[in-house]
Amino acid sequence: MRADEGQPPVLYAINHKRESVEVFRIDATTDIVGLIWTGCIPLPHNVYANGIAALPEGGLALTSMYDPTEPGNPFERMFTGKDTGQVLTWHRDSGWAPVPNSGLGGANGIAVTPDGRSIIAAAWTQKKVVRLPLDGSGERSEATVPFLPDNLRWTTNGTVLVTGQDISADDIMTCNGGEGTDCPTGYTVVEINPDTMASTVLHDEPDSPFSLATTALPVADEIWVGSIAGDKIARVSGT
């Protein structure tokens, strides 16, 4: 989402029906918040998009989990530990372009640093979160996490929250899209310092029935944790 001062917020959503980025203007002028579709940005044929974030100067940064034009099962390829995806940027005048040195295994969540010079991305099947410069001028730095890292969210103090799933490739095929009854349980929330990439466990609940966590979102003095299984949100104490 982009929220420029004096302008209606803009929401970007990945559409896997026609493989595009859909663009909506958020209308909050009435009691009922609405979305107004304003257009779309088609994706390259070799991109399977996952995370998306707005760049300060008006472009977009996006993660591609894998190349859908390659033969075979993409999940099997991702769980080999190899780089299967990458990060791309989009600008209105130049279109899509890969970010140098951005190869990632199952590229997932993404966040853009406030200065717009770097991105932080989750390498889902490699169990790491990576920071890298968008222009390729510097080295990558990484933080290892004890789960498959999913979405990334900024906190008000400038750190990044990440959660994910402590599961195997076989678990993915069994649990993905289910109700969680036969899936591994528990979740962990980690906070990452984007400057040093040092990580701290904020919340660890391995015996919780809440499973398949995807997003840890700071809300006031709490952290709200979402999941792809079931219909509940976990609410825990914040930082």
Side-chain angles (χ1 to χ4, degrees):
M1 189 176 75
R2 179 189 304 281
D4 296 325
E5 186 175 355
Q7 299 294 324
V10 176
L11 175 68
Y12 301 98
I14 294 168
N15 180 358
H16 284 304
K17 185 70 173 179
R18 63 176 174 182
E19 300 303 332
S20 61
V21 176
E22 307 295 328
V23 185
F24 299 89
R25 187 172 74 249
I26 300 176
D27 182 5
T29 58
T30 65
D31 293 339
I32 300 176
V33 177
L35 296 177
I36 301 172
W37 184 83
T38 62
C40 73
I41 306 166
L43 293 168
H45 70 283
N46 63 341
V47 166
Y48 188 84
N50 188 302
I52 189 167
L55 296 171
E57 82 280 10
L60 298 173
L62 175 145
T63 54
S64 173
M65 295 191 81
Y66 56 85
D67 182 349
T69 66
E70 292 186 5
N73 186 308
F75 280 92
E76 290 180 357
R77 294 202 305 272
M78 286 190 290
F79 277 93
T80 62
K82 297 179 180 179
D83 292 344
T84 59
Q86 61 181 331
V87 179
L88 300 95
T89 57
W90 176 86
H91 295 86
R92 184 179 297 274
D93 295 335
S94 56
W96 294 103
V99 173
N101 194 30
S102 68
L104 299 167
N108 201 311
I110 188 170
V112 177
T113 57
D115 62 9
R117 297 179 180 177
S118 301
I119 61 94
I120 301 169
W124 188 56
T125 48
Q126 294 169 333
K127 294 188 176 182
K128 62 186 179 182
V129 177
V130 177
R131 175 175 175 146
L132 58 103
L134 284 172
D135 62 4
S137 61
E139 295 183 356
R140 294 168 36 142
S141 53
E142 302 178 353
T144 301
V145 294
F147 48 78
L148 305 174
D150 208 306
N151 295 303
L152 307 177
R153 292 291 180 267
W154 287 106
T155 68
T156 55
N157 59 0
T159 59
V160 175
L161 295 186
V162 57
T163 188
Q165 311 91 41
D166 186 11
I167 54 180
S168 67
D170 290 340
D171 293 328
I172 289 291
M173 303 309 294
T174 302
C175 302
N176 191 17
E179 294 301 321
T181 54
D182 297 320
C183 301
T185 59
Y187 63 98
T188 302
V189 177
V190 169
E191 181 180 36
I192 296 176
N193 182 322
D195 297 323
T196 65
M197 296 304 287
S199 62
T200 303
V201 175
L202 294 184
H203 190 83
D204 187 22
E205 201 165 343
D207 297 323
S208 170
F210 190 86
S211 65
L212 298 180
T214 57
T215 301
L217 178 69
V219 179
D221 59 350
E222 295 182 330
I223 298 173
W224 290 15
V225 183
S227 169
I228 59 173
D231 57 359
K232 294 179 175 61
I233 292 174
R235 297 170 56 187
V236 299
S237 299
T239 58

